[in-house]
Amino acid sequence: MQQIILFLVAFFIAQALLKTPSVTLKKYGKIFLISIVGMLFSYLLATGRLNWFFAFIIMTVTFLFRLLPAALHIMPHWQTIQKLWMQLKNRGFEQGSQHSEQGRFYERSHHTPNENKMSREEAYDVLGLTPQASKSDIVNAHRKLMQKLHPDRGGSTYLATKINLAKKTLLP
């Protein structure tokens, strides 16, 4: 009997909602959602389980923070935002210089990593060297950058490919 009554009540509520304008539904929907969140917050506070709410918020923020680099590729202006992201990420690599090697490399890179062509000037720029650099300077610069930017250490395959291509261009 209770199920029939609940079904009839739900039916008449649905009929009433179908006849109301969408602006009114949107207004009452917001009020309803805010009320539900407020009641949930009050319940968690009263029962001493508010830490679950904060854990959920922290977990969501962490998930979004981890998802941000992947989401940047979808956005219309992802290159500008990705440069800012790389600058923030590279602050740990900087040691007294204004830009890290990875930041300078990313900003000045004009080729895709799949291209096997790189000018000697760009190769010197990627490794952070001058054209007067010796063979040992090139090897040391390559080793230093790969230790920082290798994919196994949190770097990207794009950067590792460009650094290897720069070494290959300068040391045939």
Side-chain angles (χ1 to χ4, degrees):
M1 184 68 171
Q2 292 174 346
Q3 293 172 343
I4 294 173
I5 293 173
L6 286 176
F7 176 75
L8 288 174
V9 169
F11 176 76
F12 287 119
I13 289 175
Q15 289 295 322
L17 289 176
L18 289 173
K19 293 178 183 176
T20 57
S22 61
V23 175
T24 308
L25 288 177
K26 191 174 184 181
K27 176 183 171 186
Y28 288 127
K30 286 181 184 178
I31 292 171
F32 180 73
L33 185 63
I34 290 171
S35 300
I36 293 294
V37 170
M39 287 188 297
L40 179 65
F41 187 81
S42 300
Y43 172 76
L44 292 174
L45 181 65
T47 59
R49 295 184 176 134
L50 194 58
N51 57 341
W52 290 4
F53 177 75
F54 290 119
F56 176 75
I57 296 296
I58 291 170
M59 181 182 65
T60 304
V61 169
T62 305
F63 176 75
L64 292 175
F65 187 72
R66 295 264 182 177
L67 186 67
L68 185 63
L72 291 177
H73 290 286
I74 299 170
M75 298 175 72
H77 303 288
W78 71 270
Q79 289 179 336
T80 306
I81 297 170
Q82 190 174 20
K83 285 181 186 178
L84 294 172
W85 176 257
M86 293 300 285
Q87 287 175 355
L88 287 174
K89 187 177 176 183
N90 291 335
R91 290 209 175 166
F93 291 126
E94 292 182 27
Q95 295 177 357
S97 64
Q98 193 173 22
H99 296 287
S100 68
E101 289 84 5
Q102 184 179 2
R104 282 198 312 265
F105 163 71
Y106 184 80
E107 292 168 4
R108 296 179 185 171
S109 174
H110 302 294
H111 300 290
T112 60
N114 295 331
E115 290 185 26
N116 289 327
K117 300 175 184 175
M118 179 183 282
S119 66
R120 292 184 67 81
E121 293 82 22
E122 184 180 2
Y124 282 119
D125 193 35
V126 167
L127 295 175
L129 299 172
T130 62
Q132 294 80 22
S134 66
K135 182 178 178 179
S136 64
D137 291 338
I138 295 169
V139 171
N140 289 337
H142 175 268
R143 183 178 296 122
K144 180 180 173 186
L145 286 173
M146 287 305 286
Q147 286 175 348
K148 287 183 181 179
L149 305 174
H150 194 275
D152 291 343
R153 294 181 172 223
S156 71
T157 55
Y158 176 86
L159 295 174
T161 304
K162 291 298 275 187
I163 293 167
N164 286 332
L165 184 58
K167 180 184 174 187
K168 183 179 175 183
T169 301
L170 296 175
L171 299 176

